[in-house]
Amino acid sequence: MKEAKKKKKKSETSIGVSRNGSISTVGVLSVYLINGLFLAVGFWVARNRFLVDLVSDPSLTLFLLWSIEFPVVVIIYSFLRKDPEKCSCSKAVGRSILGLISGAFMNALGAIALGAPIGAQYLPKTIHWSLLMSVFTFVPATVVFGASLTDWHRVFASMKPSGNIEHMILVPAYGAIIGGWFGAWPMPLDWERPWQEWPICVCYGAIGGYIVGQIVSLCLMLFLRKHKSLKVA
Amino acid sequence: METYLKRNNKKWIPLAFLLIHSVAILIFTRGFLLTRTELPFHSTCSDASLSPCLSNSDHNHNQKQPKCWTKPVVDRVVIIVLDALRIDFLAPSAFFPEAKPWMDKLTVLQNLAFGNESSAKIFKAFADPPTTSLQRLKGLTTGGLPTFVDVGNSFGAPAIVEDNFINQLVLNGKRLVMMGDDTWTQLFPNQFHKSYPFPSFNVKDLDTVDNGCIEHLFPTLYKDDWDVLIAHFLGVDHAGHIFGVDSMPMINKLEQYNKVLEKVVDILESQAGPGGLHENTMVIVMGDHGQTLNGDHGGGTAEEVETTMFAMSTKRHTPSVPPEFDTSSCKQDPDGKKICISSIEQLDFAATLSALLGISFPFGSIGHVNPELYALSSSSLNLDNIELGNSGTQPAVNEWMKNYVNVLCVNAWQVKRYIDVYSNSSVVGFSSDDMSRISNLYSAAEHHWSNSIKHTLMDNDGNEDSTNTSALKAQIAAYLSFFSSVAELARSKWTEFNLTLMITGFVMLVISLILQSLAIFHGDKPFAVDSGLSTSAAFSLFIVLIRACSFLSNSYILEEGKVANFLLATTGLIKLRYSLMSKTMRKEAFIFLAMVSVLRVSIDIGLTKQAATSQFMSSSPTWMLGLAPDHPALTYASEIAPIVSVAVLICVLYRGIAKTHSEGIWKYVTVGSMLNYFLIALLWASESKIFVLDGFLQVIGGRNIIPQTVYAIGLLQLFLLASAHMFCAGKDKNWVIRAVALVSACSSPVILLSGKQGSMLALAYLLAGYCIMRLEGVERSTKSDGQNKFSKLDPLCVVQWSLLSVCMFFASGHWCAFDGLRYGAAFVGFDEFVLIRQAILLTIETFGFSIILSVFGLPLLIPIISQTPQAHGEKRHMLFQMYMLYGVISATTVTATILCVTIHRRHLMVWGLFAPKFVFDVVGLILTDVLICLASVYYL
């Protein structure tokens, strides 16, 4: 809680979040905006401070992206975590790191099964890519749900999210995965563009899918709310 | 009774589809894959006495050298081939609407051709598609029209077995020197007196071949130990492929060539005096084909087929061709001078050069001696004893025509002989209409010849009059019309796609596809739309359609294995999600993904093998082992692992038959396969060095004994299964044991032929298949609607099975190209070559995992649970549906391939990539259909 107060600068977040862990659509939008902002910051830092981009040095750029995005995601979503009374902030941070690593492992395994190149020169790229994917997919869920298997199962396997928070975890995560899946399509083409290399276009696909997922989840929330209010009326 | 009818019905449906597919593919192939039979005959000098033309003795006895078919008119020939030389590289820019930067770079040749006192000429040369170097060199030297499938082609090796110009040169004692592109030494491995080949496959290397050529060209020109010199430069072709025509490297290349050619001409002219080395030499600078502005070639567009040829004789005189036979087109150059370029067909190259050098024409040449090229040297022929400098006048023209008409006579006789022999000996010859038309033309010309011209020529008294001249002209015109109709017929037969047939075949396939999809629901109760099933069906449809669409791009065809693996892994992930959702079979889902990962590594290894030979793929190994390939631990593992996996397979089979309470023939067959596996393990163990079994093979009498025993046992097993099916039909309704027996019987030869990777792949296949079976319907069980599980078919698992079999094709080291066939496998167990036997072995090796085992193993996908008798009928229906679905999936991909080759029939890679893919797919589809027929007889 102390930490939460320290990071009071995101005042709008605290406005949007009520105590019982639900969040208004405006709050969701602002969370998304902050996410997107720091993603852009990541790109900006890579381009202007380190003079690299995804094409020229994918490993370093990906490293910058996920290392800037990761704390932001952890901080934002730790406001939204379930039963904040039982679970201290340090615990939330600890489990988010655990989630980051295990999520990266799962993503890397999936990518290799789908045909990501394996080999010494691709290893750092694959690791950084899967860490970024993990920030998009696993980290928010670990921060919010912790090790609660039933929540994980309900949200990710059965796809029955309840409430805005679960929507904003589920939809962008699936968006990132599906975007990455589509992003792999141009890889075999013989255009001989540098961005066709692993994992550049998959990254673009994943980021694009993540953003589309955010937009879709916002629309879903608006639609569901209207639906509900209609029902109520 | 009704059930009996229904049952029979189901056996006929696959047969009907086999027939429809065969007919459709046959029709399409007739339109697309143009085939030509290569004849093994060769021309010899003595053949000419059979012709009606003037024989050697009466015309030419005063010459020292005995002439062969025609009188030699040049002594030596220098052929400089500049690969992919567009017409606008050489022809002056005045011939084109606007001047481009790459034009007018070969100025030395232009100056020679349009100079006042020279016997040089620039020709516009027409190549025939396919405009790829190898096919073009073949066409240039044989004087024919090579097609994609030249039946009679030797297995794998591209060496030309047909009679050709190079071969004739060697037979007539000419010495050849070759330098440059190593395609020549592939085509003519033994013919060259000296050769300096340089590797041609690296497209990014603009200079190696050219520098090597230049290095050897100039010294060789000063030597006298050759008669024909061939120098093949590749730089322009490579610059086009990499940078395109409008680029600096291209212009640099052309300027470099200009310097080289200038020096060549200087050397030749310095030696051209009487008694010099090059007193009577002909220089030909030519392209083998053109290229588009992007540097592509292979198809039949104007840019690709229009190339150019420059010819010059070192003996100076003005060529004299009667204006009737002059094809030149003229323009005004900027200075107002009249410049002309002539035209020639590459088809005529072999015949013309043969006539110039005085050797017999290649047997299969269908070209004719080009008057203008021939006149460049030959007009000097008989004029030496008439007044020099008088050429171009009427007597000279007449004299030349007399000579030319005799050459044409031999030429026409030779072409007619080839056409006759070809249509008699080829399976698909020419139609009788065409043959009679050609025969009429020929007999008319020949009649004219024997009645009038021959006597005129025989007289040889030198008094020319106008009637003579016009008779000669008429005779030449008659021959030329014969030649042009032969060439037209040959082109329509060998180079033009028949679009109507292609579209008919395609439409038939699409119709059969629709029918087959309907057949899936044949006899089904009005099928209830179950939500779980419909998502699965939609997803299956999506996957199949993606795979089909991927064939529209050459890149996806090249990496087809990876694409299939990607889709298979995607289905695996979907199944994983469902299994997590239902909290069942999670282990199976993970094992399946692990097996997919194993297969993808294997596919990667196969791709690196393919990249080593493919001209379209860059070899970039995407993975690397830290160990050196000859590390002892690695060799040890690679020796042990196959044998261990065979042992595991034996255990699996043993457990399989021990579990099921079944007796009789099926069990014995399965035991037979276990014996076979054991024999295979024994063979591999005795071949490897780490087991001390060296003497074992000698004891049992050679290394062929074990493979032959395996084949014999396999055949015996199949025979037993067939007889068991015939005599105890209806007794044992348990397919699982029958399927196990059949699959295991087929698998042992497949594993043996695939080599040591075979057993490991079989194990991976088995595990992945088991997981697919276990995961079948996992998305449905979550709904738990309490319905009968057999009422509906899960299309996704059939799609997975079919994708898995595609992955197996690539994982076992195959790819869709003829160099991807493993010819070595045809000789496992046999030393001598018998076509049918070796072809069967090669087919089993190529399609073993991907088609034979996967079609026969399809019933294993039906879950083993619930063996109740009332479920049997439904299960049989489901099996039928699965076979139909499998057939639809195979047919869809083939239809997509066919659509793709129809669209890309003029694509650069059509002969290198699309056509082999088409052949593999079509053979695969027919084999699948046949096996589905057999399987439905066996199982249903």
Side-chain angles (χ1 to χ4, degrees):
Chain A
M1 264 353 268
K2 221 189 280 169
E3 201 178 321
K5 264 174 204 157
K6 221 192 285 173
K7 308 281 176 193
K8 199 71 184 179
K9 64 174 179 184
K10 289 161 201 99
S11 52
E12 68 272 30
T13 327
S14 55
I15 295 168
V17 185
S18 63
R19 282 316 291 170
N20 61 0
S22 72
I23 184 170
S24 71
T25 317
V26 182
V28 173
L29 178 65
S30 49
V31 169
Y32 286 168
L33 284 179
I34 293 166
N35 272 347
L37 180 73
F38 277 89
L39 213 54
V41 166
F43 274 109
W44 182 84
V45 169
R47 179 168 292 262
N48 293 320
R49 287 277 167 273
F50 292 87
L51 302 173
V52 291
D53 55 16
L54 263 180
V55 176
S56 63
D57 191 348
S59 308
L60 181 58
T61 318
L62 283 171
F63 169 73
L64 292 170
L65 283 180
W66 74 258
S67 53
I68 291 173
E69 187 77 1
F70 173 62
V72 177
V73 168
V74 171
I75 291 161
I76 298 175
Y77 282 90
S78 59
F79 288 106
L80 308 172
R81 67 181 184 273
K82 295 221 161 173
D83 43 1
E85 287 82 15
K86 274 186 223 162
C87 171
S88 73
C89 269
S90 55
K91 206 174 163 190
V93 171
R95 72 190 186 193
S96 71
I97 290 173
L98 213 66
L100 176 75
I101 290 163
S102 54
F105 186 67
M106 298 292 287
N107 273 308
L109 283 189
I112 284 170
L114 282 167
I118 38 181
Q121 77 269 40
Y122 289 103
L123 193 63
K125 295 179 198 173
T126 310
I127 289 173
H128 290 299
W129 172 83
S130 44
L131 283 168
L132 182 68
M133 284 301 282
S134 181
V135 171
F136 288 156
T137 53
F138 270 65
V139 172
T142 33
V143 176
V144 175
F145 302 138
S148 158
L149 262 185
T150 44
D151 284 331
W152 279 82
H153 188 259
R154 189 187 70 243
V155 174
F156 278 104
S158 307
M159 291 217 269
K160 283 175 186 149
S162 59
N164 282 354
I165 296 179
E166 289 180 4
H167 265 117
M168 63 186 277
I169 290 169
L170 171 77
V171 182
Y174 266 99
I177 290 171
I178 293 170
W181 188 80
F182 278 107
W185 282 26
M187 281 173 71
L189 289 172
D190 59 353
W191 299 341
E192 298 194 354
R193 298 292 149 81
W195 53 262
Q196 280 176 295
E197 283 286 306
W198 165 258
I200 301 163
C201 55
V202 181
C203 281
Y204 286 133
I207 293 171
Y210 185 63
I211 292 166
V212 170
Q214 290 180 335
I215 296 167
V216 168
S217 67
L218 270 179
C219 298
L220 266 179
M221 284 169 211
L222 287 173
F223 174 75
L224 285 178
R225 209 181 58 175
K226 236 176 214 171
H227 209 70
K228 246 183 217 165
S229 58
L230 271 180
K231 261 188 185 171
V232 170
Chain B
M1 189 64 202
E2 202 192 331
T3 46
Y4 177 77
L5 270 180
K6 224 176 175 180
R7 187 176 162 174
N8 252 3
N9 212 352
K10 279 184 183 162
K11 286 182 187 175
W12 287 115
I13 289 174
L15 193 64
F17 283 115
L18 168 65
L19 286 179
I20 297 176
H21 286 164
S22 314
V23 171
I25 286 169
L26 197 70
I27 291 176
F28 185 86
T29 311
R30 282 294 295 275
F32 173 65
L33 273 194
L34 314 152
T35 54
R36 195 176 64 103
T37 311
E38 289 185 343
L39 299 180
F41 306 110
H42 291 254
S43 303
T44 55
C45 278
S46 52
D47 289 352
S49 58
L50 304 170
S51 78
C53 312
L54 294 182
S55 56
N56 306 346
S57 50
D58 55 51
H59 194 53
N60 214 30
H61 42 80
N62 53 348
Q63 290 243 333
K64 278 165 274 169
Q65 271 188 327
K67 77 165 187 165
C68 188
W69 280 19
T70 57
K71 207 183 311 176
V73 289
V74 293
D75 298 334
R76 312 176 95 189
V77 175
V78 177
I79 302 174
I80 296 176
V81 182
L82 307 178
D83 212 295
L85 190 73
R86 284 163 61 97
I87 171 75
D88 54 4
F89 287 165
L90 179 53
S93 49
F95 283 90
F96 305 99
E98 56 180 317
K100 290 279 169 59
W102 60 84
M103 289 179 185
D104 296 326
K105 293 293 171 212
L106 300 173
T107 47
V108 60
L109 300 185
Q110 292 183 356
N111 293 340
L112 281 169
F114 307 124
N116 291 327
E117 277 292 312
S118 87
S119 51
K121 216 166 210 172
I122 289 176
F123 293 87
K124 186 178 197 174
F126 292 95
D128 287 292
T131 47
T132 52
S133 290
L134 188 129
Q135 315 278 358
R136 272 299 82 219
L137 294 186
K138 205 169 170 181
L140 282 169
T141 52
T142 58
L145 298 165
T147 55
F148 174 62
V149 187
D150 282 350
V151 181
N153 215 337
S154 51
F155 238 11
I160 296 183
V161 288
E162 263 187 305
D163 195 14
N164 57 66
F165 170 58
I166 305 292
N167 200 27
Q168 287 298 335
L169 284 172
V170 174
L171 284 181
N172 285 281
K174 305 280 185 195
R175 292 154 301 173
L176 284 118
V177 177
M178 194 287 304
M179 56 200 68
D181 187 350
D182 60 356
T183 314
W184 284 90
T185 46
Q186 284 171 24
L187 291 174
F188 309 102
N190 307 313
Q191 279 89 332
F192 293 113
H193 177 62
K194 263 190 208 160
S195 64
Y196 308 100
F198 296 93
S200 60
F201 60 83
N202 187 0
V203 181
K204 295 194 173 150
D205 179 0
L206 299 186
D207 294 319
T208 305
V209 175
D210 290 1
N211 292 345
C213 255
I214 294 166
E215 184 193 333
H216 292 102
L217 178 60
F218 300 128
T220 313
L221 284 175
Y222 286 110
K223 289 185 186 154
D224 63 347
D225 60 346
W226 53 267
D227 299 299
V228 174
L229 183 152
I230 296 167
H232 192 136
F233 291 79
L234 273 180
V236 163
D237 180 56
H238 286 184
H241 280 305
I242 300 295
F243 302 104
V245 169
D246 194 0
S247 64
M248 241 4 248
M250 178 66 85
I251 288 164
N252 293 340
K253 266 288 148 199
L254 290 173
E255 280 166 353
Q256 182 196 9
Y257 288 169
N258 194 41
K259 289 200 192 91
V260 171
L261 291 170
E262 191 169 15
K263 198 165 168 197
V264 168
V265 170
D266 283 350
I267 294 174
L268 292 179
E269 286 186 337
S270 71
Q271 307 271 332
L277 263 179
H278 297 291
E279 186 191 353
N280 191 8
T281 299
M282 180 149 220
V283 189
I284 293 179
V285 179
M286 62 188 295
D288 53 351
H289 49 74
Q291 56 180 319
T292 63
L293 288 181
N294 295 324
D296 293 337
H297 56 87
T301 61
E303 280 184 313
E304 290 162 279
V305 299
E306 285 177 14
T307 175
T308 177
M309 179 190 282
F310 165 87
M312 182 185 90
S313 167
T314 52
K315 223 175 197 179
R316 300 219 166 205
H317 52 77
T318 317
S320 48
V321 180
E324 287 89 338
F325 311 116
D326 201 338
T327 56
S328 51
S329 67
C330 296
K331 287 265 158 63
Q332 300 278 323
D333 76 350
D335 308 333
K337 207 168 79 181
K338 191 179 161 202
I339 47 175
C340 300
I341 56 171
S342 310
S343 68
I344 186 172
E345 310 245 352
Q346 283 197 344
L347 191 64
D348 303 335
F349 180 78
T352 312
L353 271 240
S354 299
L356 285 170
L357 282 160
I359 57 174
S360 36
F361 297 10
F363 188 86
S365 161
I366 51 169
H368 67 274
V369 177
N370 182 283
E372 287 156 289
L373 185 56
Y374 189 66
L376 272 182
S377 302
S378 64
S379 51
S380 63
L381 193 64
N382 291 344
L383 302 181
D384 296 343
N385 39 12
I386 318 178
E387 321 86 281
L388 267 166
N390 196 18
S391 52
T393 57
Q394 194 54 31
V397 170
N398 244 359
E399 194 59 34
W400 179 82
M401 282 208 309
K402 277 184 181 175
N403 188 48
Y404 181 62
V405 82
N406 194 36
V407 168
L408 277 191
C409 172
V410 185
N411 192 350
W413 167 80
Q414 169 261 328
V415 170
K416 181 72 170 54
R417 175 182 68 167
Y418 172 68
I419 296 288
D420 286 343
V421 174
Y422 182 84
S423 68
N424 286 334
S425 59
S426 165
V427 191
V428 274
F430 300 105
S431 71
S432 52
D433 282 0
D434 294 328
M435 281 308 290
S436 68
R437 189 161 49 85
I438 286 193
S439 295
N440 288 341
L441 278 171
Y442 180 70
S443 52
E446 209 223 322
H447 188 238
H448 191 234
W449 165 267
S450 356
N451 282 358
S452 59
I453 306 290
K454 197 170 182 180
H455 305 295
T456 326
L457 291 185
M458 296 263 272
D459 293 347
N460 204 19
D461 49 4
N463 62 334
E464 286 87 16
D465 48 46
S466 56
T467 51
N468 246 349
T469 310
S470 59
L472 278 171
K473 280 181 182 165
Q475 182 66 33
I476 292 176
Y479 279 134
L480 288 182
S481 84
F482 164 70
F483 287 124
S484 70
S485 69
V486 167
E488 186 194 342
L489 173 65
R491 286 218 169 87
S492 72
K493 181 86 184 157
W494 291 324
T495 65
E496 279 165 26
F497 297 116
N498 190 332
L499 205 56
T500 335
L501 285 183
M502 288 169 79
I503 289 174
T504 316
F506 175 70
V507 169
M508 278 184 75
L509 261 188
V510 171
I511 291 172
S512 87
L513 208 60
I514 296 166
L515 287 179
Q516 206 166 4
S517 322
L518 291 178
I520 295 176
F521 306 111
H522 165 83
D524 210 352
K525 288 140 204 150
F527 66 105
V529 181
D530 177 356
S531 64
L533 189 64
S534 61
T535 26
S536 152
F539 190 69
S540 312
L541 192 66
F542 177 60
I543 293 276
V544 172
L545 285 183
I546 289 180
R547 195 168 127 67
C549 292
S550 76
F551 292 135
L552 294 179
S553 161
N554 53 320
S555 317
Y556 289 120
I557 290 183
L558 267 178
E559 311 231 347
E560 194 191 341
K562 276 187 170 179
V563 174
N565 188 79
F566 181 75
L567 295 175
L568 183 63
T570 309
T571 61
L573 288 172
I574 299 287
K575 287 275 183 184
L576 175 67
R577 209 209 110 215
Y578 279 119
S579 81
L580 287 177
M581 192 161 116
S582 63
K583 296 185 182 168
T584 50
M585 317 277 182
R586 275 171 288 192
K587 214 191 311 167
E588 280 82 358
F590 279 113
I591 292 175
F592 182 70
L593 281 180
M595 284 303 116
V596 172
S597 309
V598 170
L599 284 183
R600 66 143 292 197
V601 173
S602 193
I603 290 172
D604 273 359
I605 298 172
L607 275 177
T608 52
K609 269 192 240 163
Q610 178 183 1
T613 55
S614 169
Q615 49 181 321
F616 307 122
M617 283 178 74
S618 53
S619 84
S620 56
T622 55
W623 70 289
M624 244 169 270
L625 278 176
L627 297 169
D630 51 349
H631 193 273
L634 209 63
T635 29
Y636 198 72
S638 68
E639 300 281 2
I640 290 284
I643 296 166
V644 171
S645 36
V646 170
V648 175
L649 283 176
I650 296 178
C651 291
V652 169
L653 265 192
Y654 177 74
R655 285 199 53 191
I657 53 169
K659 249 186 172 175
T660 50
H661 48 281
S662 148
E663 71 291 324
I665 210 131
W666 320 110
K667 199 158 188 168
Y668 296 122
V669 169
T670 317
V671 172
S673 331
M674 284 160 68
L675 179 65
N676 259 348
Y677 288 161
F678 177 71
L679 285 176
I680 293 170
L682 200 63
L683 177 72
W684 289 345
S686 58
E687 277 175 353
S688 77
K689 291 184 187 69
I690 51 172
F691 301 97
V692 211
L693 283 167
D694 293 338
F696 175 72
L697 283 178
Q698 274 105 53
V699 174
I700 59 163
R703 64 195 167 81
N704 285 343
I705 291 293
I706 290 182
Q708 285 176 2
T709 319
V710 172
Y711 300 144
I713 293 178
L715 282 177
L716 184 70
Q717 285 173 308
L718 289 182
F719 175 72
L720 278 178
L721 287 176
S723 52
H725 177 70
M726 267 192 267
F727 297 120
C728 3
K731 264 190 186 173
D732 198 342
K733 286 293 185 190
N734 184 0
W735 297 306
V736 179
I737 188 74
R738 286 203 290 175
V740 167
L742 181 58
V743 171
S744 67
C746 296
S747 67
S748 46
V750 172
I751 292 175
L752 175 66
L753 288 173
S754 304
K756 296 203 168 152
Q757 54 166 352
S759 60
M760 290 182 277
L761 285 170
L763 205 58
Y765 198 24
L766 189 70
L767 258 177
Y770 173 76
C771 295
I772 293 178
M773 185 270 280
R774 297 281 289 165
L775 289 166
E776 193 267 327
V778 69
E779 61 267 36
R780 214 176 328 157
S781 57
T782 55
K783 302 279 188 285
S784 64
D785 46 8
Q787 281 180 349
N788 189 345
K789 280 199 170 182
F790 297 112
S791 61
K792 272 158 219 119
L793 163 81
D794 178 17
L796 192 54
C797 79
V798 182
V799 171
Q800 277 185 309
W801 184 247
S802 141
L803 281 174
L804 182 63
S805 63
V806 175
C807 286
M808 288 304 291
F809 177 80
F810 291 95
S812 52
H814 298 100
W815 57 92
C816 290
F818 296 109
D819 54 354
L821 292 173
R822 292 223 299 260
Y823 297 105
F827 295 97
V828 176
F830 299 98
D831 287 328
E832 72 277 25
F833 179 78
V834 179
L835 183 69
I836 306 280
R837 186 177 66 197
Q838 261 60 48
I840 291 174
L841 287 185
L842 194 61
T843 314
I844 293 178
E845 201 275 332
T846 309
F847 294 114
F849 280 117
S850 61
I851 293 177
I852 299 175
L853 291 187
S854 71
V855 170
F856 284 148
L858 199 59
L860 294 175
L861 290 187
I862 299 177
I864 320 174
I865 33 170
S866 147
Q867 298 275 337
T868 49
Q870 63 264 35
H872 180 75
E874 287 201 54
K875 268 168 92 175
R876 211 183 65 209
H877 179 62
M878 182 164 155
L879 186 62
F880 169 78
Q881 287 185 322
M882 281 169 87
Y883 270 116
M884 281 296 112
L885 186 58
Y886 191 87
V888 169
I889 294 168
S890 312
T892 311
T893 53
V894 175
T895 313
T897 311
I898 281 183
L899 179 65
C900 162
V901 292
T902 314
I903 294 170
H904 292 306
R905 64 188 181 282
R906 293 294 178 202
H907 191 274
L908 158 72
M909 295 177 180
V910 69
W911 303 117
L913 184 71
F914 296 116
K917 165 81 185 142
F918 166 76
V919 172
F920 271 79
D921 268 16
V922 158
V923 171
L925 178 67
I926 298 291
L927 192 63
T928 310
D929 280 340
V930 169
L931 290 178
I932 287 179
C933 284
L934 290 179
S936 57
V937 167
Y938 180 75
Y939 291 119
L940 293 180

